[in-house]
Amino acid sequence: EPEVTQTPSHQVTQMGQEVILRCVPISNHLYFYWYRQILGQKVEFLVSFYNNEISEKSEIFDDQFSVERPDGSNFTLKIRSTKLEDSAMYFCASSANSLIEAFFGQGTRLTVV
Amino acid sequence: AQSVTQPDIHITVSEGASLELRCNYSYGATPYLFWYVQSPGQGLQLLLKYFSGDTLVQGIKGFEAEFKRSQSSFNLRKPSVHWSDAAEYFCAVGAGNTDKLIFGTGTRLQVFP
């Protein structure tokens, strides 16, 4: 069964450092998403990406965040200068047709120290 | 604005007992409704979804959910719970004019033998 793959599963970084979270969406999917879940809180939408551009982003997704599909298979989330409050589980998702069925990866747990 | 409420943070049931997890949503039009499950260390797996039509939807792993417009609810049910159903369950709502999903805070299900 095809799946969304995220790497690494856990990343620890120092405050102020840049991090890149990587995702390999399902190969024929066209819509890509990042969500995050701060420990004990709800899963929150960050950004959606379609046709090589951001289609929607939340208030959380400020100038410190960026997304990229560098090579047609990977989908990355970059945080330029991490803050303690960026510590969370980050989920990548992809779908063939918008909201019809989004498949989520297993998540990357980011810990900022 | 759309919102989702899952009133039960934690539910404990005995194996073989029936289960109902509650979900209430707030949205002006007919929403897209989803239930996801997250097992420990795993990503979010789609259990079932409702877009339109029959208000009782069947999902994977023996789960079903019923859309009740009058109550703004989309409760998840299972007639007989298995120990492997222990996980976190998330209800989510989406809208036709946006790609993002709004998640509830989740319900943690514990199953006793």
Side-chain angles (χ1 to χ4, degrees), chain A residues 32-90:
Chain A
F32 313 107
Y33 312 88
W34 284 102
Y35 288 78
R36 80 172 185 190
Q37 183 184 28
I38 295 172
L39 189 63
Q41 299 185 24
K42 61 175 68 177
V43 177
E44 302 171 290
F45 169 81
L46 291 179
V47 65
S48 59
F49 190 87
Y50 170 71
N51 201 22
N52 283 320
E53 60 182 26
I54 291 173
S55 48
E56 189 171 357
K57 61 183 180 179
S58 71
E59 294 170 353
I60 303 167
F61 196 88
D62 62 21
D63 292 344
Q64 291 300 309
F65 291 87
S66 62
V67 289
E68 194 177 31
R69 191 157 158 77
D71 56 13
S73 62
N74 290 285
F75 179 53
T76 61
L77 174 69
K78 181 193 290 186
I79 309 175
R80 276 184 249 288
S81 177
T82 50
K83 307 182 188 69
L84 293 176
E85 54 265 36
D86 293 326
S87 295
M89 180 75 89
Y90 288 81

Short mmCIF file of all heavy atoms in Angstrom, two decimals, chain A residues 32-90:
data_model
loop_
_atom_site.label_atom_id
_atom_site.label_comp_id
_atom_site.label_asym_id
_atom_site.label_seq_id
_atom_site.Cartn_x
_atom_site.Cartn_y
_atom_site.Cartn_z
N PHE A 32 -0.35 18.73 -1.38
CA PHE A 32 0.56 18.42 -0.28
C PHE A 32 0.30 19.37 0.87
O PHE A 32 -0.05 20.54 0.65
CB PHE A 32 2.02 18.53 -0.76
CG PHE A 32 2.27 17.83 -2.05
CD1 PHE A 32 2.47 18.55 -3.22
CD2 PHE A 32 2.25 16.45 -2.12
CE1 PHE A 32 2.67 17.91 -4.43
CE2 PHE A 32 2.45 15.80 -3.33
CZ PHE A 32 2.66 16.52 -4.49
N TYR A 33 0.48 18.84 2.07
CA TYR A 33 0.13 19.60 3.27
C TYR A 33 1.16 19.37 4.38
O TYR A 33 1.79 18.33 4.45
CB TYR A 33 -1.24 19.15 3.81
CG TYR A 33 -2.34 19.04 2.78
CD1 TYR A 33 -2.52 17.85 2.06
CD2 TYR A 33 -3.19 20.10 2.53
CE1 TYR A 33 -3.53 17.74 1.12
CE2 TYR A 33 -4.19 20.00 1.58
CZ TYR A 33 -4.35 18.81 0.88
OH TYR A 33 -5.34 18.71 -0.06
N TRP A 34 1.26 20.38 5.22
CA TRP A 34 1.95 20.22 6.51
C TRP A 34 0.99 20.63 7.62
O TRP A 34 0.30 21.64 7.53
CB TRP A 34 3.21 21.07 6.58
CG TRP A 34 4.37 20.52 5.82
CD1 TRP A 34 4.82 20.92 4.61
CD2 TRP A 34 5.24 19.46 6.24
NE1 TRP A 34 5.91 20.17 4.23
CE2 TRP A 34 6.20 19.28 5.21
CE3 TRP A 34 5.33 18.66 7.38
CZ2 TRP A 34 7.21 18.31 5.27
CZ3 TRP A 34 6.33 17.70 7.45
CH2 TRP A 34 7.25 17.53 6.41
N TYR A 35 0.97 19.79 8.65
CA TYR A 35 0.23 20.06 9.87
C TYR A 35 1.20 19.89 11.03
O TYR A 35 2.25 19.24 10.90
CB TYR A 35 -0.92 19.06 10.06
CG TYR A 35 -2.08 19.24 9.13
CD1 TYR A 35 -2.03 18.81 7.81
CD2 TYR A 35 -3.26 19.84 9.58
CE1 TYR A 35 -3.11 18.98 6.96
CE2 TYR A 35 -4.35 20.00 8.74
CZ TYR A 35 -4.27 19.56 7.44
OH TYR A 35 -5.35 19.73 6.60
N ARG A 36 0.85 20.46 12.17
CA ARG A 36 1.66 20.20 13.35
C ARG A 36 0.77 19.98 14.56
O ARG A 36 -0.39 20.40 14.61
CB ARG A 36 2.63 21.35 13.62
CG ARG A 36 2.00 22.54 14.32
CD ARG A 36 3.03 23.55 14.73
NE ARG A 36 2.41 24.63 15.50
CZ ARG A 36 3.04 25.74 15.84
NH1 ARG A 36 4.30 25.94 15.49
NH2 ARG A 36 2.41 26.66 16.55
N GLN A 37 1.34 19.28 15.53
CA GLN A 37 0.62 19.00 16.76
C GLN A 37 1.56 19.25 17.94
O GLN A 37 2.48 18.45 18.18
CB GLN A 37 0.11 17.57 16.78
CG GLN A 37 -0.73 17.22 18.00
CD GLN A 37 -1.12 15.75 18.00
OE1 GLN A 37 -0.44 14.89 17.47
NE2 GLN A 37 -2.25 15.45 18.65
N ILE A 38 1.35 20.37 18.61
CA ILE A 38 2.09 20.60 19.84
C ILE A 38 1.58 19.62 20.89
O ILE A 38 0.38 19.31 20.93
CB ILE A 38 1.92 22.06 20.31
CG1 ILE A 38 2.55 23.00 19.27
CG2 ILE A 38 2.51 22.29 21.68
CD1 ILE A 38 2.29 24.47 19.51
N LEU A 39 2.49 19.14 21.72
CA LEU A 39 2.16 18.09 22.69
C LEU A 39 0.93 18.47 23.51
O LEU A 39 0.89 19.55 24.11
CB LEU A 39 3.35 17.85 23.61
CG LEU A 39 3.24 16.65 24.55
CD1 LEU A 39 3.14 15.36 23.75
CD2 LEU A 39 4.43 16.60 25.51
N GLY A 40 -0.06 17.59 23.49
CA GLY A 40 -1.26 17.81 24.28
C GLY A 40 -2.28 18.71 23.62
O GLY A 40 -3.33 18.97 24.21
N GLN A 41 -1.97 19.19 22.42
CA GLN A 41 -2.91 20.09 21.75
C GLN A 41 -3.43 19.45 20.46
O GLN A 41 -3.06 18.34 20.11
CB GLN A 41 -2.23 21.43 21.46
CG GLN A 41 -1.78 22.15 22.72
CD GLN A 41 -1.22 23.54 22.45
OE1 GLN A 41 -1.54 24.15 21.42
NE2 GLN A 41 -0.39 24.02 23.34
N LYS A 42 -4.29 20.16 19.77
CA LYS A 42 -4.89 19.60 18.57
C LYS A 42 -3.95 19.71 17.38
O LYS A 42 -3.00 20.49 17.36
CB LYS A 42 -6.21 20.30 18.27
CG LYS A 42 -6.12 21.77 18.00
CD LYS A 42 -7.47 22.33 17.58
CE LYS A 42 -8.49 22.33 18.69
NZ LYS A 42 -9.77 22.95 18.30
N VAL A 43 -4.25 18.91 16.38
CA VAL A 43 -3.51 18.98 15.12
C VAL A 43 -3.93 20.26 14.39
O VAL A 43 -5.12 20.53 14.23
CB VAL A 43 -3.82 17.74 14.25
CG1 VAL A 43 -3.12 17.84 12.91
CG2 VAL A 43 -3.42 16.46 14.98
N GLU A 44 -2.92 21.04 13.96
CA GLU A 44 -3.21 22.34 13.34
C GLU A 44 -2.67 22.38 11.92
O GLU A 44 -1.54 21.96 11.66
CB GLU A 44 -2.54 23.47 14.12
CG GLU A 44 -2.92 23.57 15.57
CD GLU A 44 -2.03 24.59 16.29
OE1 GLU A 44 -0.84 24.30 16.47
OE2 GLU A 44 -2.55 25.67 16.64
N PHE A 45 -3.45 22.95 11.05
CA PHE A 45 -3.04 23.13 9.66
C PHE A 45 -1.95 24.20 9.57
O PHE A 45 -2.05 25.26 10.20
CB PHE A 45 -4.26 23.55 8.84
CG PHE A 45 -3.96 24.03 7.46
CD1 PHE A 45 -3.74 23.12 6.43
CD2 PHE A 45 -3.93 25.39 7.17
CE1 PHE A 45 -3.48 23.57 5.14
CE2 PHE A 45 -3.67 25.84 5.90
CZ PHE A 45 -3.44 24.93 4.87
N LEU A 46 -0.92 23.93 8.78
CA LEU A 46 0.10 24.93 8.51
C LEU A 46 -0.01 25.49 7.10
O LEU A 46 -0.11 26.70 6.90
CB LEU A 46 1.50 24.32 8.68
CG LEU A 46 1.93 23.94 10.10
CD1 LEU A 46 3.32 23.33 10.07
CD2 LEU A 46 1.91 25.16 11.00
N VAL A 47 0.01 24.57 6.10
CA VAL A 47 0.11 25.04 4.73
C VAL A 47 -0.35 23.95 3.77
O VAL A 47 -0.23 22.76 4.06
CB VAL A 47 1.57 25.45 4.43
CG1 VAL A 47 2.49 24.24 4.49
CG2 VAL A 47 1.72 26.18 3.12
N SER A 48 -0.90 24.38 2.65
CA SER A 48 -1.20 23.46 1.57
C SER A 48 -0.47 23.94 0.32
O SER A 48 -0.22 25.14 0.14
CB SER A 48 -2.71 23.36 1.31
OG SER A 48 -3.25 24.62 1.00
N PHE A 49 -0.14 23.00 -0.54
CA PHE A 49 0.75 23.28 -1.69
C PHE A 49 0.22 22.52 -2.87
O PHE A 49 -0.04 21.31 -2.81
CB PHE A 49 2.15 22.79 -1.30
CG PHE A 49 3.26 23.18 -2.23
CD1 PHE A 49 3.91 24.39 -2.08
CD2 PHE A 49 3.69 22.33 -3.23
CE1 PHE A 49 4.95 24.75 -2.91
CE2 PHE A 49 4.73 22.67 -4.07
CZ PHE A 49 5.38 23.88 -3.90
N TYR A 50 0.04 23.24 -3.97
CA TYR A 50 -0.49 22.61 -5.18
C TYR A 50 0.09 23.31 -6.38
O TYR A 50 0.21 24.55 -6.39
CB TYR A 50 -2.02 22.68 -5.19
CG TYR A 50 -2.65 22.28 -6.50
CD1 TYR A 50 -2.65 20.95 -6.90
CD2 TYR A 50 -3.24 23.23 -7.34
CE1 TYR A 50 -3.21 20.58 -8.12
CE2 TYR A 50 -3.80 22.85 -8.55
CZ TYR A 50 -3.79 21.53 -8.93
OH TYR A 50 -4.35 21.15 -10.13
N ASN A 51 0.45 22.56 -7.39
CA ASN A 51 0.94 23.14 -8.63
C ASN A 51 2.14 24.06 -8.38
O ASN A 51 2.23 25.15 -8.93
CB ASN A 51 -0.20 23.92 -9.32
CG ASN A 51 0.04 24.11 -10.80
OD1 ASN A 51 0.79 23.36 -11.42
ND2 ASN A 51 -0.58 25.14 -11.36
N ASN A 52 3.00 23.57 -7.51
CA ASN A 52 4.26 24.26 -7.19
C ASN A 52 4.11 25.61 -6.51
O ASN A 52 5.01 26.46 -6.60
CB ASN A 52 5.12 24.42 -8.45
CG ASN A 52 5.80 23.12 -8.82
OD1 ASN A 52 6.27 22.39 -7.95
ND2 ASN A 52 5.83 22.83 -10.11
N GLU A 53 2.99 25.81 -5.86
CA GLU A 53 2.87 27.03 -5.09
C GLU A 53 1.96 26.80 -3.88
O GLU A 53 1.16 25.86 -3.86
CB GLU A 53 2.35 28.19 -5.94
CG GLU A 53 0.98 27.96 -6.55
CD GLU A 53 0.58 29.14 -7.42
OE1 GLU A 53 1.46 29.85 -7.94
OE2 GLU A 53 -0.63 29.34 -7.58
N ILE A 54 2.10 27.68 -2.90
CA ILE A 54 1.26 27.60 -1.73
C ILE A 54 -0.16 27.99 -2.10
O ILE A 54 -0.39 29.05 -2.72
CB ILE A 54 1.80 28.53 -0.61
CG1 ILE A 54 3.12 27.98 -0.06
CG2 ILE A 54 0.78 28.68 0.50
CD1 ILE A 54 3.82 28.91 0.92
N SER A 55 -1.11 27.14 -1.77
CA SER A 55 -2.51 27.46 -2.06
C SER A 55 -3.21 28.05 -0.84
O SER A 55 -4.16 28.82 -0.99
CB SER A 55 -3.27 26.24 -2.57
OG SER A 55 -3.05 25.12 -1.76
N GLU A 56 -2.76 27.69 0.34
CA GLU A 56 -3.34 28.25 1.56
C GLU A 56 -2.34 28.08 2.69
O GLU A 56 -1.58 27.12 2.72
CB GLU A 56 -4.65 27.52 1.90
CG GLU A 56 -5.45 28.15 3.00
CD GLU A 56 -6.83 27.53 3.16
OE1 GLU A 56 -7.19 26.63 2.37
OE2 GLU A 56 -7.55 27.95 4.09
N LYS A 57 -2.33 29.05 3.59
CA LYS A 57 -1.48 28.93 4.78
C LYS A 57 -2.20 29.52 5.98
O LYS A 57 -3.07 30.36 5.85
CB LYS A 57 -0.14 29.61 4.56
CG LYS A 57 -0.23 31.09 4.28
CD LYS A 57 1.16 31.67 4.01
CE LYS A 57 1.08 33.16 3.74
NZ LYS A 57 2.42 33.75 3.50
N SER A 58 -1.79 29.03 7.15
CA SER A 58 -2.42 29.51 8.38
C SER A 58 -1.59 30.65 8.96
O SER A 58 -0.49 30.98 8.48
CB SER A 58 -2.52 28.37 9.39
OG SER A 58 -1.24 28.03 9.88
N GLU A 59 -2.11 31.23 10.02
CA GLU A 59 -1.42 32.31 10.71
C GLU A 59 -0.10 31.82 11.32
O GLU A 59 0.83 32.60 11.52
CB GLU A 59 -2.31 32.87 11.82
CG GLU A 59 -3.55 33.55 11.31
CD GLU A 59 -4.53 33.87 12.43
OE1 GLU A 59 -4.29 33.44 13.58
OE2 GLU A 59 -5.54 34.52 12.15
N ILE A 60 -0.03 30.55 11.61
CA ILE A 60 1.18 29.98 12.19
C ILE A 60 2.33 30.05 11.17
O ILE A 60 3.49 30.24 11.53
CB ILE A 60 0.96 28.52 12.60
CG1 ILE A 60 -0.22 28.38 13.57
CG2 ILE A 60 2.22 27.91 13.17
CD1 ILE A 60 -0.67 26.96 13.75
N PHE A 61 1.98 29.88 9.93
CA PHE A 61 2.97 29.78 8.86
C PHE A 61 3.47 31.17 8.51
O PHE A 61 3.07 31.78 7.52
CB PHE A 61 2.35 29.10 7.64
CG PHE A 61 3.34 28.61 6.63
CD1 PHE A 61 3.90 27.35 6.73
CD2 PHE A 61 3.71 29.41 5.55
CE1 PHE A 61 4.82 26.89 5.79
CE2 PHE A 61 4.62 28.97 4.60
CZ PHE A 61 5.16 27.71 4.72
N ASP A 62 4.39 31.68 9.35
CA ASP A 62 4.92 33.04 9.12
C ASP A 62 6.19 32.98 8.29
O ASP A 62 6.51 31.94 7.69
CB ASP A 62 5.14 33.75 10.46
CG ASP A 62 6.16 33.04 11.34
OD1 ASP A 62 6.97 32.26 10.81
OD2 ASP A 62 6.12 33.24 12.57
N ASP A 63 6.92 34.08 8.27
CA ASP A 63 8.10 34.18 7.40
C ASP A 63 9.22 33.21 7.80
O ASP A 63 10.17 33.03 7.03
CB ASP A 63 8.65 35.61 7.43
CG ASP A 63 7.72 36.58 6.76
OD1 ASP A 63 6.81 36.10 6.02
OD2 ASP A 63 7.86 37.79 6.97
N GLN A 64 9.13 32.65 8.97
CA GLN A 64 10.14 31.68 9.40
C GLN A 64 9.96 30.31 8.72
O GLN A 64 10.86 29.48 8.75
CB GLN A 64 10.08 31.49 10.92
CG GLN A 64 10.54 32.71 11.70
CD GLN A 64 11.98 33.08 11.37
OE1 GLN A 64 12.88 32.25 11.42
NE2 GLN A 64 12.20 34.33 11.02
N PHE A 65 8.80 30.11 8.15
CA PHE A 65 8.48 28.83 7.52
C PHE A 65 8.52 28.96 6.00
O PHE A 65 8.14 29.99 5.44
CB PHE A 65 7.08 28.36 7.93
CG PHE A 65 6.95 27.96 9.38
CD1 PHE A 65 6.65 28.92 10.34
CD2 PHE A 65 7.09 26.65 9.76
CE1 PHE A 65 6.51 28.55 11.67
CE2 PHE A 65 6.94 26.28 11.09
CZ PHE A 65 6.65 27.23 12.05
N SER A 66 8.94 27.89 5.36
CA SER A 66 8.84 27.83 3.91
C SER A 66 8.68 26.36 3.50
O SER A 66 9.05 25.46 4.25
CB SER A 66 10.06 28.44 3.22
OG SER A 66 11.23 27.73 3.56
N VAL A 67 8.10 26.17 2.34
CA VAL A 67 7.95 24.82 1.80
C VAL A 67 8.50 24.79 0.39
O VAL A 67 8.54 25.80 -0.30
CB VAL A 67 6.47 24.34 1.79
CG1 VAL A 67 5.98 24.07 3.20
CG2 VAL A 67 5.57 25.33 1.08
N GLU A 68 8.88 23.59 0.00
CA GLU A 68 9.50 23.43 -1.30
C GLU A 68 9.30 22.01 -1.79
O GLU A 68 9.22 21.08 -0.99
CB GLU A 68 11.01 23.74 -1.19
CG GLU A 68 11.70 23.93 -2.50
CD GLU A 68 13.17 24.29 -2.31
OE1 GLU A 68 13.77 23.84 -1.32
OE2 GLU A 68 13.71 25.00 -3.16
N ARG A 69 9.18 21.91 -3.10
CA ARG A 69 9.15 20.58 -3.71
C ARG A 69 10.35 20.58 -4.66
O ARG A 69 10.22 20.83 -5.85
CB ARG A 69 7.85 20.38 -4.44
CG ARG A 69 7.58 18.97 -4.88
CD ARG A 69 6.11 18.75 -5.07
NE ARG A 69 5.82 17.64 -5.96
CZ ARG A 69 5.90 16.37 -5.62
NH1 ARG A 69 6.28 16.04 -4.40
NH2 ARG A 69 5.60 15.41 -6.48
N PRO A 70 11.51 20.26 -4.14
CA PRO A 70 12.76 20.53 -4.87
C PRO A 70 12.99 19.64 -6.09
O PRO A 70 13.63 20.08 -7.05
CB PRO A 70 13.83 20.30 -3.80
CG PRO A 70 13.20 19.39 -2.80
CD PRO A 70 11.75 19.73 -2.79
N ASP A 71 12.48 18.43 -6.06
CA ASP A 71 12.87 17.51 -7.12
C ASP A 71 11.71 16.68 -7.66
O ASP A 71 11.92 15.67 -8.28
CB ASP A 71 13.98 16.58 -6.62
CG ASP A 71 13.56 15.85 -5.37
OD1 ASP A 71 12.34 15.87 -5.04
OD2 ASP A 71 14.42 15.27 -4.70
N GLY A 72 10.50 17.08 -7.44
CA GLY A 72 9.36 16.35 -7.97
C GLY A 72 8.93 15.15 -7.15
O GLY A 72 7.90 14.55 -7.44
N SER A 73 9.72 14.79 -6.14
CA SER A 73 9.30 13.68 -5.30
C SER A 73 9.26 14.07 -3.82
O SER A 73 8.39 13.63 -3.09
CB SER A 73 10.20 12.46 -5.50
OG SER A 73 11.52 12.76 -5.13
N ASN A 74 10.20 14.90 -3.39
CA ASN A 74 10.23 15.31 -2.00
C ASN A 74 9.41 16.57 -1.79
O ASN A 74 9.22 17.38 -2.70
CB ASN A 74 11.68 15.58 -1.56
CG ASN A 74 12.49 14.30 -1.48
OD1 ASN A 74 12.33 13.53 -0.56
ND2 ASN A 74 13.32 14.09 -2.47
N PHE A 75 8.96 16.72 -0.55
CA PHE A 75 8.22 17.92 -0.15
C PHE A 75 8.77 18.30 1.21
O PHE A 75 8.69 17.51 2.14
CB PHE A 75 6.72 17.62 -0.10
CG PHE A 75 5.86 18.78 0.31
CD1 PHE A 75 5.96 20.00 -0.33
CD2 PHE A 75 4.92 18.64 1.32
CE1 PHE A 75 5.15 21.06 0.05
CE2 PHE A 75 4.11 19.70 1.70
CZ PHE A 75 4.23 20.91 1.07
N THR A 76 9.39 19.49 1.30
CA THR A 76 10.09 19.83 2.52
C THR A 76 9.45 21.03 3.23
O THR A 76 8.85 21.90 2.60
CB THR A 76 11.56 20.17 2.24
OG1 THR A 76 11.63 21.29 1.36
CG2 THR A 76 12.28 18.99 1.62
N LEU A 77 9.62 21.04 4.53
CA LEU A 77 9.24 22.18 5.37
C LEU A 77 10.50 22.68 6.04
O LEU A 77 11.21 21.91 6.71
CB LEU A 77 8.22 21.75 6.43
CG LEU A 77 7.84 22.82 7.46
CD1 LEU A 77 7.02 23.93 6.83
CD2 LEU A 77 7.05 22.20 8.63
N LYS A 78 10.79 23.96 5.84
CA LYS A 78 11.97 24.55 6.44
C LYS A 78 11.54 25.56 7.49
O LYS A 78 10.64 26.38 7.25
CB LYS A 78 12.83 25.25 5.39
CG LYS A 78 14.11 25.87 5.96
CD LYS A 78 14.78 26.82 4.99
CE LYS A 78 15.39 26.12 3.82
NZ LYS A 78 16.16 27.05 2.94
N ILE A 79 12.18 25.48 8.63
CA ILE A 79 12.01 26.51 9.66
C ILE A 79 13.35 27.20 9.78
O ILE A 79 14.37 26.56 10.11
CB ILE A 79 11.58 25.92 11.01
CG1 ILE A 79 10.37 25.00 10.84
CG2 ILE A 79 11.23 27.04 12.00
CD1 ILE A 79 9.96 24.27 12.12
N ARG A 80 13.39 28.50 9.49
CA ARG A 80 14.68 29.20 9.35
C ARG A 80 15.41 29.35 10.67
O ARG A 80 16.58 29.10 10.77
CB ARG A 80 14.45 30.58 8.74
CG ARG A 80 14.37 30.57 7.24
CD ARG A 80 14.23 31.98 6.68
NE ARG A 80 12.93 32.19 6.10
CZ ARG A 80 12.53 31.65 4.95
NH1 ARG A 80 13.31 30.88 4.28
NH2 ARG A 80 11.31 31.91 4.49
N SER A 81 14.74 29.78 11.67
CA SER A 81 15.36 30.04 12.96
C SER A 81 14.41 29.53 14.04
O SER A 81 13.44 30.20 14.39
CB SER A 81 15.61 31.54 13.13
OG SER A 81 16.17 31.81 14.41
N THR A 82 14.68 28.33 14.49
CA THR A 82 13.70 27.66 15.35
C THR A 82 13.58 28.33 16.72
O THR A 82 14.56 28.86 17.27
CB THR A 82 14.08 26.19 15.56
OG1 THR A 82 15.47 26.11 15.95
CG2 THR A 82 13.87 25.38 14.28
N LYS A 83 12.36 28.28 17.23
CA LYS A 83 12.06 28.78 18.57
C LYS A 83 11.63 27.59 19.42
O LYS A 83 11.25 26.55 18.91
CB LYS A 83 10.93 29.79 18.54
CG LYS A 83 11.12 30.93 17.57
CD LYS A 83 9.94 31.88 17.68
CE LYS A 83 9.95 32.95 16.61
NZ LYS A 83 9.69 32.44 15.27
N LEU A 84 11.67 27.78 20.72
CA LEU A 84 11.24 26.71 21.62
C LEU A 84 9.81 26.27 21.32
O LEU A 84 9.50 25.08 21.37
CB LEU A 84 11.33 27.17 23.09
CG LEU A 84 12.73 27.44 23.64
CD1 LEU A 84 12.66 27.98 25.06
CD2 LEU A 84 13.60 26.19 23.57
N GLU A 85 8.97 27.24 20.97
CA GLU A 85 7.56 26.94 20.73
C GLU A 85 7.31 26.22 19.41
O GLU A 85 6.18 25.85 19.11
CB GLU A 85 6.71 28.21 20.81
CG GLU A 85 7.16 29.34 19.93
CD GLU A 85 8.06 30.34 20.66
OE1 GLU A 85 8.87 29.92 21.52
OE2 GLU A 85 7.96 31.54 20.35
N ASP A 86 8.38 26.02 18.62
CA ASP A 86 8.23 25.21 17.40
C ASP A 86 8.30 23.72 17.70
O ASP A 86 8.06 22.90 16.81
CB ASP A 86 9.33 25.58 16.39
CG ASP A 86 9.19 26.99 15.86
OD1 ASP A 86 8.04 27.46 15.71
OD2 ASP A 86 10.23 27.61 15.59
N SER A 87 8.63 23.38 18.92
CA SER A 87 8.66 21.96 19.30
C SER A 87 7.27 21.37 19.14
O SER A 87 6.30 21.85 19.72
CB SER A 87 9.11 21.82 20.75
OG SER A 87 10.43 22.24 20.92
N ALA A 88 7.19 20.33 18.33
CA ALA A 88 5.89 19.73 18.01
C ALA A 88 6.12 18.50 17.14
O ALA A 88 7.23 18.23 16.69
CB ALA A 88 5.01 20.73 17.24
N MET A 89 5.03 17.79 16.91
CA MET A 89 5.04 16.73 15.90
C MET A 89 4.55 17.36 14.61
O MET A 89 3.50 18.02 14.59
CB MET A 89 4.10 15.60 16.33
CG MET A 89 4.03 14.45 15.34
SD MET A 89 5.50 13.43 15.41
CE MET A 89 5.01 12.27 16.66
N TYR A 90 5.31 17.18 13.55
CA TYR A 90 4.95 17.74 12.25
C TYR A 90 4.52 16.61 11.32
O TYR A 90 5.26 15.65 11.11
CB TYR A 90 6.14 18.52 11.65
CG TYR A 90 6.39 19.82 12.37
CD1 TYR A 90 7.10 19.86 13.57
CD2 TYR A 90 5.90 21.02 11.87
CE1 TYR A 90 7.31 21.04 14.26
CE2 TYR A 90 6.11 22.22 12.54
CZ TYR A 90 6.81 22.21 13.73
OH TYR A 90 7.00 23.40 14.40
#
